[in-house]
Amino acid sequence: TAAGFSAGTRGNAPRATPSGLYPYPTRATLLSVMATTATMRSHATAPARLSARGALGSSGQLSQTRAATRNARRAVTRATGAPPASAEKRTATNALTKKDLVAYIESGCKPKSEWRIGTEHEKFGYQLANLRPMEYDAHVAKLLDALVDRFDWEPIVESGNIIGCKLNGQSVTLEPGGQFELSGAPLANLHQTCAEVHSHLYQIKTVAREIGVSFLGLGFQPKWSVADTPVMPKGRYKIMKEYMPTRGDKGLDMMFRTCTIQVNLDFESEEDMVRKFRTSLALQPIATALFANSPFCDGKPSGQKSLRSDVWTDTDPDRTGSLQWVFEDDFGFDRYAEYVLDVPMYFVYRDGVYHDVTGESFRDFMRGELPQFPGEYPTLDDWEQHLTTCFPEVRLKRYVEMRGADGGPWGNICALPAVWVGLLYDETALADAEALVATWTPEEREYLRKAVTKDGLQTKFRDGTVQDIAVEMVRIAKEGLTRRGCNEENFVDGLMEMATSGQTQADKLLDAYVNKWGMDIDRVYKELSY
């Protein structure tokens, strides 16, 4: 999701759920987000496809002429396997310079009035009959086809296989093991974000019931092994699957057995980016503890509260970690570009094919010395792809990505962007958050990153625990949301309840496993399905 498009309208205040923890979107808010995403079409004069029922209705509402044109276009796409034009790489005629790479990242700078919120979430699809992961042909392809045919999404095809779809700034894509991901449109406020998620879940649940599958909101696959998990037909994943075991013991677990929630946020300048990056990187372990929701593995407790986060500590040291150099005086766009240039490559994408160049140097590519493509230079599209193969807890593209949270239930998908928007989009809150972490040492930051995966909010820190920091972090975020004036502050009420009680989703699941479920892991599918 590329946060930062200029379209968007402010949503209406939501209703509270019966529990008071998380808000449901009103019908007016749903209509607001539909109108917002409709304005993001590439042609400003194109008629909006989303009527009052459009996001939740069927494509049969389209006129016969438009439907015939649409279906003909999709038939060609499916038959040819042609990738989206934006993803097609063309051979560069001139060598890129590092200045070009830095300028690409810097081009993300935008005034505060244009800051947006882009939320991504992943979820496990499973078969209702046996709880096994979804198969591609029997389930995944049918789900994607239904989104295209029934809800007017555009297909994304690779080598003749549908691997995703897109609509009005949103995209649905597949992770390696079939985890379903929604990358949301850049939206103006959290009401629109929650309405977008609500609409997406309605669509996939409607289709899922018809083909005998459902979706689970957890951060780590609770029951099935990597060997039990089907591989999705995407070229880049085949390359990564073969390379990952050479760099760490848990890379395949990361690919096939994890789900996350992320938010992508904008920055105004290099200075603003540095402040947001440093503050969010320091606080990422606190978010990991708050959103801990992956305590199971292979049918039993794993000993970790966020096993998803622990997996990242043994995936690939070249492209993961806490990036302690971010806190040094020379950090900025140039320093981050230098870091990415030193990350070994995975692939080069040409003519619809991912070519294996694992371990090679992007610097050599820039000199025209890549062994697999001698004399060829990278494009900015290649640089954009390479940026996505770095996996720190906070990642910089033309926006900043928060990557420390487990996948989880619907309310968490709304709460994760809320806490970071509250902290980073309000100047007073950002200053307060900076002060909260200002005296933490590199050793303390690294300790937190590793310790919270096991102990969550109970992790000891200085004279207290991470729970103490979490309470203060959520308080600052709530005050920041209040000052935004969008009636968004109730989106973090559930987090404050968890922070003050010390009981995260992982703690509740572990208690239920012993005291309610009779240690039957299958019960988690009932408890945490969307």
Side-chain angles (χ1 to χ4, degrees), residues 182-492:
L182 172 68
S183 296
L187 300 171
N189 60 56
L190 295 165
H191 305 300
Q192 294 173 0
T193 293
C194 241
E196 175 185 68
V197 173
H198 189 275
S199 176
H200 167 73
L201 291 178
Y202 174 87
Q203 291 180 20
I204 63 167
K205 285 169 63 178
T206 298
V207 179
R209 282 193 294 267
E210 298 171 4
I211 61 174
V213 299
S214 187
F215 289 93
L216 181 66
L218 273 176
F220 196 89
Q221 167 59 248
K223 183 170 182 173
W224 305 104
S225 67
V226 171
D228 293 322
T229 306
V231 182
M232 295 300 104
K234 297 179 69 171
R236 64 183 289 166
Y237 294 156
K238 181 179 184 295
I239 293 170
M240 292 172 64
K241 184 175 185 287
E242 294 174 356
Y243 181 71
M244 280 291 186
T246 71
R247 304 301 301 133
D249 291 337
K250 299 178 181 178
L252 297 184
D253 283 329
M254 180 277 292
M255 291 180 64
F256 293 96
R257 300 210 285 176
T258 64
C259 282
T260 186
I261 306 168
Q262 298 178 193
V263 64
N264 306 322
L265 299 175
D266 289 314
F267 46 82
E268 187 170 32
S269 62
E270 184 172 44
E271 179 185 3
D272 186 44
M273 180 279 293
V274 169
R275 293 179 66 198
K276 287 173 177 173
F277 199 111
R278 287 174 173 166
T279 303
S280 60
L281 187 60
L283 286 173
Q284 213 62 217
I286 315 305
T288 298
L290 269 172
F291 287 87
N293 187 38
S294 52
F296 303 119
C297 178
D298 300 326
K300 58 185 183 297
S302 65
Q304 305 280 340
K305 292 185 180 179
S306 179
L307 181 56
R308 180 207 60 84
S309 182
D310 179 69
V311 159
W312 281 109
T313 65
D314 190 10
T315 291
D316 184 344
D318 293 328
R319 63 191 78 240
T320 62
S322 50
L323 310 188
Q324 297 295 348
W325 48 266
V326 164
F327 298 90
E328 297 173 3
D329 291 340
D330 64 345
F331 175 57
F333 296 134
D334 187 273
R335 182 74 183 274
Y336 193 85
E338 286 283 347
Y339 156 69
V340 178
L341 282 169
D342 287 332
V343 172
M345 296 178 68
Y346 276 154
F347 53 77
V348 171
Y349 185 66
R350 292 290 183 272
D351 301 319
V353 176
Y354 287 94
H355 298 271
D356 187 345
V357 296
T358 47
E360 299 293 347
S361 166
F362 202 90
R363 295 182 189 274
D364 288 345
F365 197 10
M366 291 178 67
R367 291 190 290 264
E369 298 173 359
L370 197 65
Q372 297 86 344
F373 291 88
E376 186 169 331
Y377 300 102
T379 66
L380 282 177
D381 285 328
D382 292 314
W383 176 239
E384 182 180 16
Q385 287 278 359
H386 189 54
L387 285 166
T388 70
T389 67
C390 304
F391 307 126
E393 293 294 279
V394 176
R395 182 163 66 185
L396 178 63
K397 296 180 184 175
R398 287 185 290 183
Y399 43 88
V400 183
E401 297 182 346
M402 310 295 130
R403 297 170 45 84
D406 285 353
W410 185 84
N412 284 23
I413 301 172
C414 301
L416 187 279
V419 71
W420 290 116
V421 167
L423 290 168
L424 303 182
Y425 272 12
D426 175 77
E427 175 59 34
T428 300
L430 178 55
D432 289 345
E434 287 177 311
L436 181 63
V437 303
T439 63
W440 294 2
T441 66
E443 293 76 18
E444 286 176 324
R445 290 192 295 265
E446 185 63 17
Y447 158 75
L448 285 172
R449 183 174 82 94
K450 295 180 178 179
V452 296
T453 67
K454 180 178 185 295
D455 295 324
L457 292 177
Q458 285 72 48
T459 302
K460 296 186 182 302
F461 185 71
R462 294 186 174 179
D463 295 330
T465 66
V466 164
Q467 181 181 355
D468 303 321
I469 306 169
V471 170
E472 184 66 6
M473 174 177 162
V474 178
R475 181 193 66 79
I476 294 171
K478 187 177 180 71
E479 292 178 354
L481 291 172
T482 300
R483 283 188 291 268
R484 268 171 58 85
C486 299
N487 297 316
E488 301 166 316
E489 53 271 19
N490 55 343
F491 284 100
V492 296

